[in-house]
């Protein structure tokens, strides 16, 4: 009986020791990391090769303007264009019509009100591929505290590691309170303003 009891006790001890060792090894082994889709790398804006401008009409005469300071963020995978993200930030005080006296008016409250709301912003909400390097970007444009939905057509091209996005759209200036008071008269300054851009990026995979 003693021999049998001793044998059973030894077997039980061995089983407990084995279970303990297995548990310790399981705790020491790190859990496998979940597999997730790798996000598209953020592109880098090449400001020196980029332009952001606008065309307004004053008494029927087209007037060209531009913004000298702006930034753009783009996350874009050519294989998954619908997952792209686009964002703009524009310093309104950098707007210029090419003449100091006009530029001084643009920053005032009746126009861009650059001191109160120094930036205009755009944030994409959806991107649709149209084929042939063309896309439609839907998003929200905010100027002077007014936010509107806009649809922006964009064409992408590549050369020498640089991806260039070109496009434009028409905004209604009065929807954003650009040109308040006496300047709300559209016979003086047209309501439609053509926005146009050329944005160069590095860091985008081949299209």
């Amino acid at each position: 009986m003693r021999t049998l009891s001793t044998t059973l006790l030894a077997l039980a001890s061995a089983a407990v020791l084995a279970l303990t060792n297995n548990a310790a090894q399981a705790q020491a082994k790190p859990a496998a990391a979940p597999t997730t889709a790798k996000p598209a790398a953020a592109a880098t804006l090449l400001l020196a090769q980029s332009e952001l401008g606008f065309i307004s009409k004053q008494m029927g005469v087209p007037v060209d303007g531009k913004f000298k300071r702006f930034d753009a963020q783009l996350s874009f995978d050519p294989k998954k264009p619908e997952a792209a993200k686009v964002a703009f930030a524009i310093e309104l005080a950098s707007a210029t019509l090419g003449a100091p006296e006009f530029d001084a008016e643009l920053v005032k409250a009746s126009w861009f009100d650059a001191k109160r709301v120094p930036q205009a912003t755009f944030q994409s909400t959806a991107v649709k591929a149209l084929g042939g390097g063309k896309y439609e970007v839907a998003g929200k444009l905010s100027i002077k505290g007014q936010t509107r939905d806009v649809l922006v057509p964009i064409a992408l091209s590549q050369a020498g590691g640089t991806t260039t996005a070109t496009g434009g759209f028409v905004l209604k200036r009065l929807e954003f309170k650009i040109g308040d008071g006496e300047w709300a008269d559209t016979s003086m300054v047209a309501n439609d303003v053509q926005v146009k851009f050329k944005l160069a990026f590095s860091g985008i995979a081949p299209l």
Side-chain angles (χ1 to χ4, degrees):
M1 290 297 292
R2 287 183 179 178
T3 302
L4 180 59
S5 298
T6 302
T7 302
L8 291 174
L9 182 60
L11 289 173
S13 298
V16 171
L17 182 60
L19 289 173
T20 302
N21 289 337
N22 289 340
Q25 292 175 0
Q27 291 179 355
K29 184 178 181 180
T35 56
T36 56
K38 185 178 180 180
T44 300
L45 177 67
L46 305 174
L47 190 57
Q49 302 175 41
S50 301
E51 301 172 359
L52 177 59
F54 56 91
I55 302 173
S56 61
K57 285 188 177 181
Q58 297 182 16
M59 300 183 70
V61 179
V63 177
D64 287 329
K66 68 178 181 178
F67 294 97
K68 295 181 287 185
R69 294 189 299 275
F70 56 90
D71 191 20
Q73 294 83 42
L74 173 62
S75 177
F76 180 74
D77 182 349
K79 295 180 180 179
K80 297 180 180 179
E82 69 282 354
K85 298 293 182 184
V86 185
F88 285 93
I90 304 162
E91 291 190 33
L92 295 176
S94 73
T96 179
L97 294 174
E101 61 272 23
F102 294 151
D103 296 350
E105 290 295 321
L106 286 179
V107 300
K108 292 182 178 179
S110 58
W111 290 98
F112 285 134
D113 201 5
K115 185 174 291 186
R116 185 178 67 87
V117 187
Q119 287 190 333
T121 62
F122 172 82
Q123 180 64 59
S124 66
T125 55
V127 176
K128 180 180 179 181
L130 302 178
K134 296 182 178 181
Y135 305 84
E136 278 185 347
V137 180
K140 294 186 178 297
L141 177 65
S142 296
I143 307 174
K144 291 183 69 174
Q146 308 299 312
T147 301
R148 298 288 186 273
D149 292 320
V150 296
L151 189 63
V152 184
I154 291 178
L156 294 183
S157 60
Q158 286 183 326
T162 298
T163 301
T164 303
T166 56
F169 64 97
V170 174
L171 66 79
K172 305 288 186 181
R173 67 178 181 87
L174 294 179
E175 290 185 351
F176 297 93
K177 299 184 181 298
I178 300 172
D180 282 341
E182 62 179 309
W183 299 110
D185 182 358
T186 56
S187 67
M188 293 287 291
V189 180
N191 192 27
D192 288 355
V193 177
Q194 176 71 43
V195 180
K196 57 181 182 177
F197 57 85
K198 181 185 76 172
L199 303 173
F201 295 92
S202 62
I204 296 179
L207 299 176

